Amino acid sequence: MYHQTFDDGDTAEAVAESRQQPGIHFGDGDALCCGTFGELLQGQLPINSHSRDSHFLVTMPIALFSRAHFMPIAGEQCVTVYPPHKVKAKRLAESLVSALDVSGGTLLLQSELPEGKGLASSSADLVATARSIACCHKRRVRTSLIENLMAEIEPSDGVMYPGVVAYQQRLCRLFSFLGQMPPLAIVAIDEGGTVETIDYDQRRGEISANQRMQYRELLDRARTAIPRGDTATIGKIATASALLHQERAPKRHLNAALKACQDIGALGVIVAHSGTMIGILLDRTASCFPRKLRSVVEHVSPFDTSPKMYLTMN
């Protein structure tokens, strides 16, 4: 997969030539970006803990992707995008070709991520688009430039970075790297409908100082648990974040999912905070994984006859 690499001097610099990734073969202009199953954690930190914005999230990268293929047309300034409803990708593409002073052209997008469900489909489209254009024109592009362009469009997930990150979604800025997620499976149900990221962000409001402290503590726990591969604590963090978020964007089946976790001995519940998905976390390296997987599917089938399984990127 084509991901950025980072150096000590500037962690926001992307390598835009896919041939620099050993063993990975892409045609000119081909790139991809993974999605994230909602968020492991999302909330607000104490007001004095950061200078500009207290909103943050922690990504849960999954092995589903948005793929982009860019074909330049000499002298063209605009970018035509297929499918045409991908207007955010079109806006990003045209801003980027202008910033790089390169030709526009045609952009093809193909995504495995359902839209409006909270799996970072838009963010993955935008990052794949930027990578594709940079790759096609063989340009080195700083991630900070891509983030600036994305911030003009909507709050975004931190899927432009490899591994799990804490990310300021409103500013489109990296907060910190947290490491690699251990091999987990998420058995998920979709509560229906769609959520538009901008609308959700505008209506969610502020939270209490006590809840901000809870989010601070959960982030501190994540900083320790993720590098250690502590799946039990990761599950508890996800569950705590889902519960804290329930009063702002309630999930109808959260209590049922919590009961299933308790009955089965699953790691926890994870939600798409700004989406429609709710999932149950399992350690897929555990010897009891097949049995627990069957049990989870049985528990959630009354709410969704076709539950999906997502695998973490690790």
Side-chain angles (χ1 to χ4, degrees), residues 3-4 6 11 33-36 38-43 55-62 127 131 143 147 156-169 172-181 219 222-223 226-227 313:
H3 283 299
Q4 287 103 330
F6 303 91
T11 60
C33 180
C34 73
T36 171
E39 299 81 20
L40 175 68
L41 173 63
Q42 179 175 314
H55 293 81
F56 81 102
L57 57 80
V58 174
T59 57
M60 176 64 84
I62 55 174
V127 174
R131 288 175 174 169
T143 305
E147 289 174 318
S156 299
D157 292 273
V159 291
M160 65 286 294
Y161 295 100
V164 183
V165 296
Y167 197 74
Q168 294 176 283
Q169 69 271 30
C172 290
R173 287 291 180 270
L174 177 69
F175 196 69
S176 61
F177 288 98
L178 300 183
Q180 297 295 322
M181 189 61 63
L219 179 57
R223 293 182 193 278
I226 293 170
M313 294 277 290

Side-chain angles (χ1 to χ4, degrees), residues 19-309:
R19 69 173 64 96
Q20 296 186 17
Q21 302 297 318
I24 304 301
H25 302 283
F26 283 93
D28 288 342
D30 288 336
L32 76 166
C33 180
C34 73
T36 171
F37 189 92
E39 299 81 20
L40 175 68
L41 173 63
Q42 179 175 314
Q44 293 174 245
L45 297 173
I47 294 174
N48 294 328
S49 68
H50 205 272
S51 57
R52 289 183 60 192
D53 191 89
S54 63
H55 293 81
F56 81 102
L57 57 80
V58 174
T59 57
M60 176 64 84
I62 55 174
L64 288 182
F65 302 90
S66 176
R67 292 173 169 82
H69 178 77
F70 182 68
M71 296 170 287
I73 301 174
E76 181 65 67
Q77 294 181 325
C78 298
V79 176
T80 302
V81 179
Y82 297 97
H85 74 276
K86 299 280 190 178
V87 293
K88 295 174 185 176
K90 175 179 173 66
R91 182 176 170 187
L92 185 284
E94 292 183 338
S95 295
L96 182 58
V97 298
S98 175
L100 298 178
D101 193 23
V102 296
S103 61
T106 300
L107 175 70
L108 307 180
L109 284 170
Q110 180 185 32
S111 181
E112 301 169 341
L113 298 157
E115 297 178 6
K117 301 297 183 180
L119 303 189
S121 63
S122 293
S123 295
D125 281 349
L126 298 183
V127 174
T129 293
R131 288 175 174 169
S132 178
I133 292 171
C135 177
C136 182
H137 287 289
K138 295 180 170 56
R139 298 289 295 272
R140 295 174 66 88
V141 179
R142 292 184 182 275
T143 305
S144 56
L145 169 61
I146 306 307
E147 289 174 318
N148 287 340
L149 298 179
M150 291 175 69
E152 295 175 358
I153 298 172
E154 67 176 5
S156 299
D157 292 273
V159 291
M160 65 286 294
Y161 295 100
V164 183
V165 296
Y167 197 74
Q168 294 176 283
Q169 69 271 30
R170 286 183 168 182
L171 298 178
C172 290
R173 287 291 180 270
L174 177 69
F175 196 69
S176 61
F177 288 98
L178 300 183
Q180 297 295 322
M181 189 61 63
L184 304 178
I186 304 166
V187 181
I189 63 173
D190 182 359
E191 295 199 328
T194 59
V195 175
E196 170 56 47
T197 301
I198 296 175
D199 293 341
Y200 165 81
D201 189 71
Q202 290 176 343
R203 70 171 185 266
R204 64 178 169 170
E206 300 297 310
I207 64 172
S208 69
N210 178 60
Q211 287 180 320
R212 289 171 185 264
M213 288 303 300
Q214 292 181 63
Y215 282 119
R216 170 90 268 175
E217 293 169 3
L218 289 170
L219 179 57
D220 289 342
R221 292 174 67 189
R223 293 182 193 278
T224 302
I226 293 170
R228 291 180 178 176
D230 183 350
T231 57
T233 299
I234 289 170
K236 291 175 182 176
I237 292 168
T239 302
S241 186
L243 289 167
L244 281 168
H245 201 73
Q246 184 70 350
E247 64 185 60
R248 291 189 295 284
K251 297 290 188 290
R252 299 190 308 276
H253 300 112
L254 179 61
N255 288 335
L258 291 169
K259 186 177 186 307
C261 274
Q262 184 177 15
D263 293 345
I264 298 162
L267 297 173
V269 172
I270 184 169
V271 300
H273 294 72
S274 56
T276 66
M277 306 292 285
I278 179 169
I280 295 176
L281 287 165
L282 296 172
D283 181 350
R284 68 177 194 261
T285 66
S287 59
C288 58
F289 171 65
R291 174 180 58 80
K292 288 188 175 182
L293 176 60
R294 289 192 298 269
S295 217
V296 169
V297 171
E298 290 173 1
H299 275 73
V300 302
S301 58
F303 314 113
D304 189 336
T305 56
S306 300
K308 304 294 189 297
M309 185 170 71

